[in-house]
Structures are given as C-alpha cells and as structure tokens.
Amino acid sequence: MTSPIPKEIPDLPAVPGRPRLRPSVVPAAAVMAPAYRPVAAAYRLLVALAAAATVAVYLLAGSPVRVLTYFAVQSNVLVAVVFALSAWRAWTAQRPLSPLVTGGTLFYVLLGGLVFHVLVVNEPGPFSMTGQNAPPTGWLALADRVLYTLTPAAALLDWLLITRPAPLSLRHARTWLLYPMAYLAVSLLRGELIPPDVKDRYLYPFLDVGRLGYRSVLANALLLGLAFFALAVLLVALDHIRPDPTRHHAKTGFRLRPPVG
C-alpha cells in the first residue's frame, strides 16, 4: 500500500553559486583514429631525433654558447622537445598538446628556415652571408640541410597530415610574436655588451647595428615583424580551412542495397 502524495511539496533551497560542469577528459582515440596513433608517434619521434642530432652536431663543431644563440638552433631544440612529447602522447593515447605550443613550434621553425633561405643565403642580396665564411662540408653541410630545410618541412607535413585542426585564432598569432620580439631585444643587448672589435658580435647582418645603425636595424626589424605576423595569420587561416586528417568514419556493418522489384 502506497502512501498518499502530499498536496504541498516544500520548496528546495537554492544551490549557492552558479553550477559548474566538471571538464571531461577526452581520450586521444576520440580525436585520432587508432591506426594513426603508432604512425604519428613513430613519425614525430623520428623528427625529434633528427632535430636533436642536428643540434648536437653544431654543439660539437663550435662554441655551445654561440651555437645556442641562433634562432634556427633554438627552434630546432623546441622541435625536439615538443615532437618527443607529442610522440609519447600519441603512443599512449593521451590528449594532444595545446595548439598554442604545437602551432608556435611550427611557426618558429618555419621562421628559421625562411629567414635563412630568403635573406641569409639569397645571393646577391644585401644581407647574404654566403661570401663571409667558407661553405660547410661533411656533417656540417648535412646539418645545415636538416636544420633549415628538412626540419621545417617535416613539421609542416605533421601539421597538415597528422595534427587535428585546433582551430587557431588571432590570439595565438599575437602570442607567438612575443618570442621573436624577445629574441630581437636580447640580440641587440648582446651586441652592445660585446666589444666592437670582436667579429660577428651581431649574429645576423640585418641586425648589425655597428654597420647599419639603430635606425636601419629597427626598420628591418619592423618589416620582418610584419612579415612574421602575416605568416602567423596565414597559419591561422589555413587551420580554419584545412581538412581534419584524423577524422574517420566507423564501419557499422550494414550495407545499403538497391530496392528489389
């Protein structure tokens, strides 16, 4: 025998504060096909090892302090660390790294390669460095190929063929520019602290204050900064229109057949 339903139900007290939903953990299998995970992990580990080995060759061949001051070397160190972490996350089916980190890594390594090919080795050019030093040979020549060409190309292929669109935004593009701005400030300060009679006190010809003066150097930095921001905006735009390489359609086991009769 059931008890009668009361005619008046007392009001429940209000829950203090605004209700908040707890963030749910989405496994990597939800955003990346299981068949892609071992392939992505192996590819990213290979890229990380290539970048780390290239930096090691430069460190063994020259002064470690001077080698680590080059922008392309720093970006390859970042590639080695980020791609190794991404490989581990792909292999263990964890959430991918933040798009701010992965997109920034791609942006920086592309900057290093583009500056080298467009300004540094573009001959004839006002900032070409090909005639100042003897061309590298042996392992250093191979390291140059990997540092300035293969690593940027490999990072771009990973972003296009393996990495899921974020999507990125202009906020990411503005944040990425903080590192090149800091690098410019440190480079100029380093040049001021080194005595003027020391050769190559400025690492790049377009930043050589002793030869160009601060007015020309800052103008060059402004033009490069606008070009860098344009590249960052281009990456953001491409991220919105490129297809999702990790999207897959599960097989249901049913097959449509034409109607009979």
Side-chain angles (χ1 to χ4, degrees):
M1 187 173 181
T2 59
S3 59
I5 300 176
K7 297 181 179 180
E8 296 182 357
I9 300 178
D11 296 334
L12 297 177
V15 178
R18 298 180 61 181
R20 297 181 179 180
L21 298 177
R22 298 183 62 183
S24 60
V25 178
V26 180
V31 296
M32 182 178 293
Y36 274 85
R37 291 203 302 268
V39 176
Y43 177 79
R44 289 168 178 169
L45 181 60
L46 182 62
V47 175
L49 292 177
T54 303
V55 174
V57 170
Y58 281 108
L59 292 177
L60 294 175
S63 171
V65 176
R66 180 176 176 81
V67 167
L68 292 176
T69 54
Y70 284 98
F71 187 89
V73 174
Q74 295 178 9
S75 64
N76 272 257
V77 172
L78 184 62
V79 166
V81 175
V82 171
F83 271 67
L85 291 176
S86 297
W88 171 254
R89 286 174 176 263
W91 182 262
T92 56
Q94 299 183 32
R95 288 177 62 89
L97 294 176
S98 169
L100 180 65
V101 176
T102 55
T105 303
L106 173 64
F107 176 64
Y108 298 143
V109 75
L110 286 179
L111 287 187
L114 289 175
V115 168
F116 177 79
H117 287 289
V118 175
L119 296 178
V120 176
V121 297
N122 186 14
E123 191 176 1
F127 305 122
S128 177
M129 299 175 61
T130 54
Q132 298 182 8
N133 301 313
T137 58
W139 288 104
L140 285 179
L142 179 60
D144 275 357
R145 293 288 185 181
V146 176
L147 189 77
Y148 298 111
T149 304
L150 294 182
T151 304
L156 183 60
L157 289 177
D158 175 87
W159 187 69
L160 292 175
L161 303 179
I162 300 178
T163 304
R164 182 173 183 262
L168 298 173
S169 64
L170 291 179
R171 177 178 58 86
H172 295 92
R174 293 193 299 266
T175 305
W176 294 339
L177 290 178
L178 295 178
Y179 174 47
M181 293 172 59
Y183 183 85
L184 172 64
V186 173
S187 298
L188 296 180
L189 179 61
R190 173 183 176 276
E192 289 294 330
L193 296 178
I194 296 177
D197 55 342
V198 176
K199 183 183 178 181
D200 297 335
R201 49 193 288 231
Y202 294 98
L203 299 177
Y204 298 98
F206 49 83
L207 298 180
D208 193 343
V209 177
R211 184 171 62 90
L212 301 176
Y214 270 104
R215 189 172 184 176
S216 297
V217 167
L218 293 180
N220 294 335
L222 178 60
L223 293 177
L224 287 176
L226 294 176
F228 293 169
F229 184 68
L231 176 61
V233 173
L234 177 62
L235 291 178
V236 172
L238 290 177
D239 189 67
H240 283 266
I241 64 176
R242 67 188 179 98
D244 187 356
T246 65
R247 186 177 180 180
H248 63 287
H249 301 280
K251 296 182 180 180
T252 59
F254 295 96
R255 180 178 298 177
L256 296 178
R257 297 181 178 179
V260 180

